[in-house]
Each structure stands twice: as structure tokens, then as C-alpha cells.
Amino acid sequence: MIEDLWYKNTVIYSLDLETFMDSNGDGVGDFEGLTRRLDYLQSLGISTIWLSPFQPTPNHDNGYDISDYYGVDPRHGSSGDFVEFMQQARKRGIEVVMDLVVNHSSDQHPWFQHSRKDKNSQYRDWYVWSKKRPAGWKTGMVFPGVQKSTWTYDKDAREYYFHRFYPFQPDLNMHHPAVRTEIRRIMGYWLELGVAGFRVDAVPFIIETPPTRGNKNTKLNFEYLLEMREFLQWRRGDSILLGEANVLPDETLNYFGKDGEHIHMMFNFFVNQHLFYALATAEVAPLAAALRATKKLPPGAQWAQFLRNHDELDLGRLDEKQRDKVFARFGPELEMQLYHRGIRRRLAPMLGNQRQLELAYSVMFSLPGTPVIRYGDEIGMGDDLSLKEREAVRTPMQWTAEPQSGFSTCAKTVHPLITKGPYRYDQVNVEAQRRDPASLLSWTAHMIRLRKECPEIGWGDWKILPTGSPSVLAIRYDWRGNSLIVAHNFDEKAHEIRLKPEVEGGDKLLNLLVEDESRADTGGTHRIALEAYGYRWYRVGNLNHVLRQRKE
Ligand code: NOJ
């Protein structure tokens, strides 16, 4: 079972082909470039790659506007290059998960073109049309401030079409059986080419019924998730669905399914936002509450824990006061904020120092679930606020100090490189950090190895332990007779904590990061001095004993 449920103890690396590595010098990253960098990823220790959309696209939303679901955008190479990449990833034991963007297609997709131009076309009902402009046409925008409406008039069709996102992303009509059949084909196609599953884009919107005049039904069609899941598992038993759904804790069981029969994994947006609150204020109680609120999971289900992704840092689930504090600390300037709810910055410039970066990553690696890293965060890359919207955090990977950072030989790259300020590529790059044992890159590789050696985190039960300090979060994991305790001080000041492991053998804690151990006093309490932003990973009891047990 441990091997079968591989996603419970993997480390996911999220990257965009476009900005990762350009092999042919046209300024755009490609599959051959990524293939050449697989050894780097393997030595970093990651075991799953999540590829953002790479299919043919007009590219108005970073590839999340697909015009052919069965191909590779020529800028990234050919289908042959994709298969070659898959083979090389498999040889290194790296799983590949890809985006499944089926809430909407591009308006340039032939399906939409047929749909809008010909009322009698078989594709007409593949999209959502309305003769009259629905009452709520100016509500429900996902990108407020930039997106103007959710219904747009189409001159050719002479009707309005629904788009939850930008107007060039018309929603597919999920109630149409032919659309569902086509989605199964898309999934089947890529599974056949070896992917281990899908990061499902915009799950709540896939399963909504668009709010037209006649239809006031706001119930979500969760049974569709079961349909997807069943098909996926028939085709490849160990493949997974990783859902993007920024929902409240009491809704999550519907997404996972009561008995774990829907999607396997979901990004834990709720914990993510409270984690940023803790980083901004050094107050851990709301994070502890968010963890407890998302604790109950059906069998087989798993959280994906992350810090930053390719979008804005969405703070919409915090209350107003909390959100204001996070904005004040991490996004005080208007140009750093986006869509009235988020921050369009990378992690390193937000936190501003390596000690807090290490703390943030150490927390993330130790949260219940599977960690997801964003490319470039392992070296502490910065952002470019002169780029529009979320493009600020999508600049090319910084490999070396050479021109164009070794990402490309082309003078003009798909997004500009960061050439100014403390995060410019001749300062922050892989080559320099590889040679420095104290670099963030070396530290990250070390932490990934440690995380993989602690399957308790991916598999185990857990409990938050009192520490006596409002700034220190301690969690104990238990799995198969082994226990692990992690403690994180979110404060810029040192704290001494009092910790009672409350578990057999808990009078001795073995530090997994440096040679050191803690002994409890006669009352079973450990007194541990945590420096500013300090963190500890302890195994309870004796390491040899643990290793022996695991073998048995
Ligand atoms: C979520 C993706 O993460 C985001 O980048 C995209 O704009 C929307 N879904 C629409 O596909």
C-alpha cells in the first residue's frame, strides 16, 4: 500500500515549460531543455513534476487557454519530445502530473469556433449560450478589477456565452454527454503516454451549473468527480487527481468524497493563507485552528501543502483584520496587490531573509500532507513587479550568472529575466548555490531528503502539542509505532518552549538535523530554546530502534 499510494510521500515540483529551460535558443523553454535538467531535479530530491499547461494555446492566460487538448505547443517542442521527456523522467523514478484544464477551452479552439458560427453544429451545445443577457452577467468574476463580466455577447452567434474566467476562456458545458466523453478521451490519451495523473484546474467551476435566467440551481455536481475518478482508475490504477479548489474546510469532504471516492489530493489553500498570517504576525493560533479544521480526511485522501504557486497569493479566506495584517507585512504597496484579495510576489522578497525562508519551508515540509515546491523557490528567486498581473512571479529560471542566466541563448526571452536588485540572476542562481553548502539550494535538498525519510508526515496521525508560547507551533506525528515531533518558532525573537511529547519513549528526543538530543526532566517535560525563526525536527526515542521497527 505504501508504494501504491505513492503520492502520500512524494515531493512535488511545479514548473512551467515556458520559463524553465530553452534548448533551441528561441527564447521559450521546451521539453528538450527540461529533459536536460532532469538530473538537477533528481539531485534536488523531488520525485514528482507538475507541468503547467503545455498544449497548443494562443497563450493569453499562461497556457490556461487551450486550443488543442491532444498536442504540444510547437514553442515547447513536438509530441516526440514529450515522449522522450517522459521516458527520461521514468528512468529516474520521477512521476509526471499535468494540468487538466477543462472548465473552459480557448475561444480559438475549433469547438468554440464551430459553436459560435453554426447553430446547427454538433458543437453548439458544447458551450453555454443564452439568448438574453443573464441578470448576473456582471457578477462572479474570478479576476475582479481586470475581468469585466462573466457573460459576453458574441457577434457571430448573436447570443451571450458564459465564461467564469476571461472572455477568451468560454466555459465548456459539462452537462453535455459529448463533452464528458471528450474529457475522458483527453485523460485517456495522456495517461496512455505515461502521466501519473492530473492537477485539475478550477474544480469548483467544473462542477457548477452556470447561473442562467431559468436556472437558479446552485448545487455543485460532485458526482462528476466520481465519474472522473472511476475512469482514471480504470485506465491507470495508481494515477491521481490533484484538485485546485480554494474552498472552506466544511466543503472539502464533498471534494474528496465521503469515503475518499472523489479526488485524491487537494491544495490546502485554507492552511496556506493562515500560514502566511503566522509568518506575518508570529501568531500561530489561527494556523493551528486551520490545521485542525482540515484534519479529518477520508481514507486515501491527502492534502498538498504549498507556500507559493504561479498565481497570486490569495488571502480571500482570512478575515479582514487578518488579511490587512498580511498585506501590511508582505504586500504594502498597491502594485504588489492583485484582484483585491492577493499578493503577486515571490516568497523570497516577501520574507526578505534566508532564516525566515528556511523557517517557512521547514514548516511547509512538515505540514500534514505532501509538499509542493515552485520552481526557483529553492534558490530564493525574486519577482518583477513591472510585469502585468501574475506574470510578476513567472520570470525565467535562473541557472547561471551568464547572459540570460543560462536559461536561453536568445536575446529576447519569453518573459524578461530579473536583471536588477538583490534577486538579479547574477546574484541568485543555481550554479553559485550548488557550490555553497550554506546556500538555500543546498539546504532545500537536505530538507527534501529529510522529508522523504519521515513518512509519518505523509501517512501518520498527528496532534498539535502545547508549547507555552504563542509563536511556536509543535506537531507530533505517529505512524506504525514511530513518532516524530516538529517545532517551529515564527518569531524574530528567541523563545524557550516546554514540550511534553505524551508518547512512549518521549523522554528522549533525537534531533534529525544536527547531532543533538533533548532529555526530559523527571516530569516528562522538555525545555527547548529556539532561536529566532528556529526549527527542530525530532524523532522520539532511539533511532536504531526506529530503523529496526520499520524493517520488520
Ligand atoms: C487556475 C490557474 O492556476 C490560473 O493560473 C488560471 O488563470 C485559472 N485557473 C484559469 O484556468
Side-chain angles (χ1 to χ4, degrees), residues 304-440:
Q305 304 286 5
F306 66 105
L307 281 161
R308 289 292 291 113
N309 61 20
H310 61 293
D311 292 328
E312 79 284 4
L313 164 64
D314 188 338
L315 301 170
R317 298 292 179 201
L318 298 180
D319 70 35
E320 214 176 305
K321 273 197 189 142
Q322 291 174 329
R323 192 165 40 245
D324 285 348
K325 287 188 189 171
V326 183
F327 272 132
R329 168 75 176 85
F330 295 135
E333 313 288 332
L334 219 54
E335 61 161 2
M336 298 168 174
Q337 303 173 5
L338 193 61
Y339 311 137
H340 316 307
R341 61 159 181 248
I343 301 181
R344 53 185 209 113
R345 298 181 80 190
R346 277 249 191 195
L347 191 66
M350 264 196 277
L351 302 188
N353 67 83
Q354 186 167 336
R355 284 175 76 186
Q356 202 183 8
L357 263 179
E358 288 183 6
L359 170 89
Y361 258 108
S362 174
V363 176
M364 199 270 274
F365 282 125
S366 72
L367 287 178
T370 296
V372 185
I373 315 176
R374 176 75 182 148
Y375 85 88
D377 278 0
E378 73 273 29
I379 51 170
M381 260 172 65
D383 44 49
D384 180 349
L385 293 174
S386 72
L387 301 177
K388 79 172 196 342
E389 293 178 58
R390 295 162 293 170
E391 285 177 11
V393 298
R394 298 172 180 169
T395 59
M397 181 67 177
Q398 297 177 183
W399 295 106
T400 68
E402 288 156 28
Q404 309 296 48
S405 85
F407 159 70
S408 174
T409 52
C410 186
K412 189 166 164 32
T413 50
V414 57
H415 292 297
L417 282 135
I418 295 180
T419 53
K420 284 190 274 203
Y423 302 97
R424 60 181 206 260
Y425 68 77
D426 58 333
Q427 288 294 313
V428 176
N429 62 62
V430 170
E431 191 185 35
Q433 293 197 19
R434 273 186 89 120
R435 290 182 294 207
D436 176 3
S439 69
L440 187 61

Side-chain angles (χ1 to χ4, degrees), residues 217-234:
N217 174 14
T218 50
K219 262 187 40 210
L220 297 174
N221 307 305
F222 288 107
E223 77 287 348
Y224 181 55
L225 299 178
L226 177 64
E227 197 180 310
M228 274 178 131
R229 165 71 174 262
E230 282 182 345
F231 176 78
L232 182 89
Q233 237 83 83
W234 291 330

Side-chain angles (χ1 to χ4, degrees), residues 205-265:
F205 301 124
I206 293 180
I207 58 178
E208 73 175 338
T209 303
T212 50
R213 263 178 190 233
N215 168 33
K216 300 270 176 290
N217 174 14
T218 50
K219 262 187 40 210
L220 297 174
N221 307 305
F222 288 107
E223 77 287 348
Y224 181 55
L225 299 178
L226 177 64
E227 197 180 310
M228 274 178 131
R229 165 71 174 262
E230 282 182 345
F231 176 78
L232 182 89
Q233 237 83 83
W234 291 330
R235 287 292 167 94
R236 183 177 158 175
D238 65 348
S239 54
I240 56 150
L241 295 172
L242 163 56
E244 185 221 10
N246 181 355
V247 295
L248 287 168
D250 60 358
E251 296 171 79
T252 50
L253 274 192
N254 290 326
Y255 286 83
F256 285 126
K258 207 166 52 22
D259 300 312
E261 72 278 21
H262 293 164
I263 51 188
H264 305 74
M265 294 182 88

Side-chain angles (χ1 to χ4, degrees), residues 61 64 104 143 165 169 199 201 244 310-311 390 394:
D61 180 16
Y64 284 91
H104 49 268
F143 306 121
F165 297 91
Q169 294 166 312
R199 177 263 188 195
D201 188 56
E244 185 221 10
H310 61 293
D311 292 328
R390 295 162 293 170
R394 298 172 180 169

Side-chain angles (χ1 to χ4, degrees), residues 161-175:
Y161 66 93
F162 179 66
H163 50 90
R164 185 51 81 188
F165 297 91
Y166 292 113
F168 55 81
Q169 294 166 312
D171 271 45
L172 283 158
N173 175 10
M174 297 301 297
H175 288 293

